[in-house]
Amino acid sequence: MFSTEDTIVAIATPPGRGGIGVVRLSGPDAHAIARRLITHARPLEPRYATLTLVRPKPEPTENSDAASLFSRTDGIDDVIATYFPRPASYTGDDVVELSAHGSPVVLRTIVASAIHFGARPAEPGEFTLRAYLNGRIDLMQAEAVADLIDAVTPLQARSAFDQLQGTLTRAIAEIDQALFDLIARLEASVDFPEEGYHFVDPRALARSIDAIVARTRVLLADARRGRLVREGLQIAIVGRPNVGKSSLFNALVGASRAIVTEVPGTTRDLVSEVIDLEGLRVTLVDTAGLRETCDIIESEGVARSRQASDVADLILIVLDGSQSLDETELEIFSEGIDTKVLVVSNKNDLPPAWARDDVVKVSAVQGTGVGTLRKRIADALDVDLLADRPEITNVRHMALVGRAHDALVRARAAAFAQGRSLSEEFVLADLQDARTALEEITGRRAPEDVLAHIFARFCIGK
């Protein structure tokens, strides 16, 4: 892991040009380095925005004094400097943020100057890692920071912010506290067997374990909705060539992402785009037209289309409403439409060649029926399940809550196995396994390789 004794620096805003760019310093020498970076004569006032000038690092020559290079005409940029003293800062260390104009050249120059004065470049996620190590946030909240940055739908953002505010932390803490109390009483019974006194009545033990199991069961039941919020779903758009799959893809995306021509077989590879569907992250996949072909490239595209359909959560079968159906398309209706399939009749702006009530009629070119299609997709994906924001969305959290739940179930079975003949040590071991899993969620017992994996997915500067 990284050293927490260094003062680190990084650009905290996204790459590219913008109105404002922020350079962040954190560590024991953050304020001292910032003082050397700027022309402001006095120490920075905590939590007070100070307009000042950032000067470049000195470049001394044989015939000139380095101090003469710190004149105002040699400044890098006017900045707003804000100082956040420890421990009441994002990282828990001293933090200074320099808000400059959002030129990549300017921001990189400020970072280079800070490094010259003693800072070191921050690693991905190192600011948030320090916040975790300094007790400002727990591991669940740290992961929520990354989820909030990566959110592409309002529901994802709200769920991540809820976790950042500690909703899941409080839920896990309540379970952990109940487990701690039960374990303490069981350990007292195990540690003083000669007293002949049991600190936990068997019936009370059963009720206590059942109550904790009920809480973990609720979290696990919530996990499906949480996975949908965080990871989203995949929809594959399939059909014969030239039925308007790419046009429908563009209409749902709201932009011309897929190439549309009158030539069959234009789409030869998978084209995907993420959209917000009723607050749910949905990845649309435009596939190659399904047909027999001698073209090697198109054949590969058709094979990939079938693979995408196999893993998709929903398949949109697009038919040409202005052309007669072939035998394969007729089989779709004769065999019955699967719940994983939604049939779309496209080109509804042209005279119809057939009509059915169990299809969604659209004109991708004119945009008619697309709103209805989005509603039908939401119904098919059961988006109503997401009306309430789930407490648990992270796969790592789901796995560890599942591990704790299984250990609790074993504990209850051990408590009443063979007419309650098993020793309390067996129950205690399972309860301790459950608590270990919960502590790994919060980070109290997270292995170092787990921490490295989690923070590696962060951007530099956060």
Side-chain angles (χ1 to χ4, degrees), residues 215-251:
R215 290 183 177 183
T216 56
R217 187 180 294 117
V218 169
L219 288 177
L220 291 174
D222 213 28
R224 175 179 175 266
R225 295 190 302 119
R227 185 188 68 83
L228 297 185
V229 170
R230 191 170 190 265
E231 300 178 11
L233 295 172
Q234 179 170 299
I235 298 177
I237 303 176
V238 303
R240 287 188 299 161
N242 222 28
V243 296
K245 299 186 304 300
S246 296
S247 296
L248 183 61
F249 175 89
N250 289 340

Side-chain angles (χ1 to χ4, degrees), residues 100-310:
H101 291 94
S103 162
V105 173
V106 169
L107 299 176
R108 287 197 298 267
T109 303
I110 295 174
V111 170
S113 296
I115 292 171
H116 173 83
F117 289 124
R120 125 175 115 70
E123 298 291 338
E126 192 168 1
F127 291 98
T128 304
L129 173 62
R130 292 192 176 195
Y132 161 69
L133 294 176
N134 289 328
R136 296 288 293 167
I137 55 177
D138 62 27
L139 193 55
M140 289 182 289
Q141 291 171 304
E143 290 171 283
V145 171
D147 290 343
L148 186 57
I149 293 172
D150 293 339
V152 296
T153 71
L155 182 58
Q156 284 183 317
R158 290 197 303 271
S159 296
F161 185 70
D162 282 349
Q163 292 190 10
L164 182 57
Q165 293 294 98
T167 54
L168 184 57
T169 296
R170 288 189 290 273
I172 295 297
E174 290 173 358
I175 297 173
D176 184 67
Q177 183 57 47
L179 263 175
F180 176 78
D181 178 67
L182 191 56
I183 288 172
R185 287 185 286 147
L186 275 174
E187 284 182 338
S189 296
V190 171
D191 290 343
F192 303 102
E194 67 279 357
E195 301 294 331
Y197 181 78
H198 292 278
F199 289 82
V200 183
D201 177 75
R203 287 171 297 181
L205 175 64
R207 288 194 300 269
S208 298
I209 296 177
D210 286 342
I212 301 172
V213 167
R215 290 183 177 183
T216 56
R217 187 180 294 117
V218 169
L219 288 177
L220 291 174
D222 213 28
R224 175 179 175 266
R225 295 190 302 119
R227 185 188 68 83
L228 297 185
V229 170
R230 191 170 190 265
E231 300 178 11
L233 295 172
Q234 179 170 299
I235 298 177
I237 303 176
V238 303
R240 287 188 299 161
N242 222 28
V243 296
K245 299 186 304 300
S246 296
S247 296
L248 183 61
F249 175 89
N250 289 340
L252 288 169
V253 171
S256 296
R257 276 283 287 110
I259 299 174
V260 179
T261 72
E262 296 296 326
V263 179
T266 302
T267 302
R268 297 189 171 198
D269 201 353
L270 304 181
V271 180
S272 64
E273 189 71 31
V274 176
I275 66 171
D276 177 359
L277 184 75
E278 303 295 325
L280 183 65
R281 176 192 174 110
V282 171
T283 301
L284 283 179
V285 181
D286 181 22
T287 65
L290 300 177
R291 67 170 180 175
E292 297 298 325
T293 177
C294 296
D295 187 301
I296 296 177
I297 298 176
E298 189 177 350
S299 296
E300 177 62 22
V302 171
R304 293 186 182 186
S305 298
R306 293 194 171 98
Q307 292 173 1
S309 300
D310 290 340

